[in-house]
Amino acid sequence: MDLKQASDQLEQIRNQSLEFTYMGSVASYIPELAKVERHQLGVAVCLPDGTILSAGDAEVPFSMQSISKIFSLIVALCQNGKDYVFRHVGKEPTGDPFNSIIKLETTESHKPLNPMINAGAIAVAGMIRGANVDERLDAVLALMRKMTGNPHLSINQAVYCSEKKTADRNRALAWFLKDSGILETDVEETLDLYFRHCSIEVTAKDVATLGMVLAADGILVNTGERVIPEEVARICKTFMVTCGMYNASGEFAIDVGIPAKSGVAGGIMATVPQRMGIGVFGPSLDEKGNSVAGVKLLELLSKEWKLGIF
Ligand code: DON
């Protein structure tokens, strides 16, 4: 890859996608997210040798929100094994919005359909072990600090408090899971852990680096150290394809064709097996909760660089 040419193309595609920020709006159900300037758009690409290319607002911090569900799943799988985890959460896409409650009651086992929807991610948070919430969060943060090489990665306190105060729907999901026996740990503690991991603050550059580790099947690019078992990395990438963009995952697979996970703060982590990790930040969202300009940018980049995996 000619880095100068790639860098120019990245800049061009970022600028071309910027107008799509007008087509969406920032998330407002978490009041702190409503304060963010909607016409931001940043992208970073991390290559197998650790080189990072970027354009636009690639160093603006934002909360991971649902992107963090990948990392809580990694910790839960490593601590409990996949048989235990998948007894409590399923492997199927839903076709419903990320915070939907409907299938929890109508499926016989009351098991959330997958770990990427809120109900599934709350069930996963319930499986993260530790003496208290601090220790349980530290397990997620330690993994992400190692993967990014950024020892300062931490939560955004204002976003965390804002979500905690307003998360009535997530509380409803968690109490339903408790009643059904899916959630075996303390409800408020598990919700607290979930809100905290959702508010972990990153930049598009951090997200690109995280995506590259997954692209390398769980190996750190600069040291060669394995930080995630290969099978766990494979499970995560598969969920990114089938459920990572919620009820837009099918459309995204056709238009972009890259495993990806979005968050309502406007982040998207994409991972192109063996080739690159991509981090996008664009807080203007479409009606399904995905970054509207971010999705466009990834579509253009995928076409230009032939990144689609199918
Ligand atoms: O639980 C929530 O609603 C948020 N903390 C995360 C949701 C989210 O990011 C959905 N993504 N597009």
Side-chain angles (χ1 to χ4, degrees):
M1 185 181 238
D2 176 337
L3 290 185
K4 171 77 179 82
Q5 189 191 20
S7 194
D8 289 346
Q9 287 169 334
L10 197 62
E11 186 81 38
Q12 207 179 359
I13 285 174
R14 180 267 172 193
N15 293 343
Q16 228 176 307
S17 310
L18 195 58
E19 64 180 297
F20 287 86
T21 59
Y22 286 90
M23 291 174 66
S25 49
V26 294
S28 56
Y29 75 99
I30 299 175
E32 198 61 24
L33 298 183
K35 297 181 185 166
V36 174
E37 153 58 39
R38 113 180 132 124
H39 300 295
Q40 299 181 89
L41 185 61
V43 56
V45 170
C46 180
L47 299 172
D49 66 355
T51 302
I52 295 198
L53 309 175
S54 66
D57 304 295
E59 287 184 70
V60 174
F62 62 92
S63 55
M64 298 192 87
Q65 299 303 334
S66 287
I67 303 173
S68 66
K69 293 170 180 173
I70 291 286
F71 303 95
S72 57
L73 177 64
I74 293 172
V75 172
L77 283 166
C78 291
Q79 289 181 344
N80 302 284
K82 67 175 181 173
D83 293 345
Y84 180 86
V85 169
F86 294 124
R87 269 203 302 279
H88 297 79
V89 64
K91 299 175 187 158
E92 301 304 332
T94 65
D96 297 323
F98 63 83
N99 59 358
S100 176
I101 202 162
I102 189 163
K103 295 230 170 70
L104 270 191
E105 196 180 13
T106 54
T107 49
E108 209 178 310
S109 62
H110 302 314
K111 201 163 103 168
L113 278 174
N114 68 68
M116 299 294 111
I117 52 171
N118 288 6
I122 292 168
V124 167
M127 291 183 253
I128 295 178
R129 315 268 165 214
N132 49 45
V133 179
D134 283 341
E135 240 184 69
R136 292 161 76 189
L137 178 72
D138 277 347
V140 181
L141 275 174
L143 170 73
M144 291 184 48
R145 286 177 181 152
K146 201 157 196 186
M147 287 175 77
T148 54
N150 176 0
H152 305 296
L153 218 66
S154 205
I155 72 170
N156 178 318
Q157 203 65 28
V159 172
Y160 156 62
C161 293
S162 179
E163 177 164 17
K164 192 170 169 141
K165 268 191 231 146
T166 53
D168 298 327
R169 174 73 73 101
N170 282 333
R171 283 205 173 76
L173 295 171
W175 284 105
F176 190 92
L177 291 170
K178 181 74 175 179
D179 179 67
S180 322
I182 300 286
L183 184 57
E184 293 169 351
T185 40
D186 183 87
V187 175
E188 280 302 330
E189 280 185 14
T190 291
L191 280 167
D192 196 39
L193 171 61
Y194 171 80
F195 302 143
R196 289 207 229 175
H197 76 60
C198 283
S199 62
I200 294 172
E201 196 163 62
V202 286
T203 64
K205 287 189 177 179
D206 293 320
V207 174
T209 312
L210 292 165
M212 183 61 229
V213 181
L214 289 171
D217 296 326
I219 289 177
L220 281 191
V221 281
N222 26 19
T223 64
E225 186 192 346
R226 173 165 295 288
V227 284
I228 306 168
E230 190 171 357
E231 188 186 23
V232 171
R234 182 183 61 77
I235 291 171
C236 289
K237 281 184 278 190
T238 313
F239 275 127
M240 287 164 77
V241 171
T242 56
C243 317
M245 306 298 283
Y246 302 107
N247 44 337
S249 298
E251 192 180 344
F252 188 86
I254 287 175
D255 295 343
V256 184
I258 309 174
K261 180 76 206 83
S262 66
V264 283
I268 304 177
M269 174 176 72
T271 183
V272 187
Q274 307 308 328
R275 288 179 63 189
M276 65 184 69
I278 308 173
V280 178
F281 168 59
S284 183
L285 307 180
D286 61 25
E287 71 287 352
K288 292 181 177 169
N290 297 319
S291 171
V292 62
V295 168
K296 192 68 200 170
L297 188 157
L298 286 170
E299 184 185 335
L300 295 173
L301 200 62
S302 177
K303 285 210 174 85
E304 184 69 38
W305 291 353
K306 300 193 171 33
L307 302 177
I309 64 168
F310 300 107

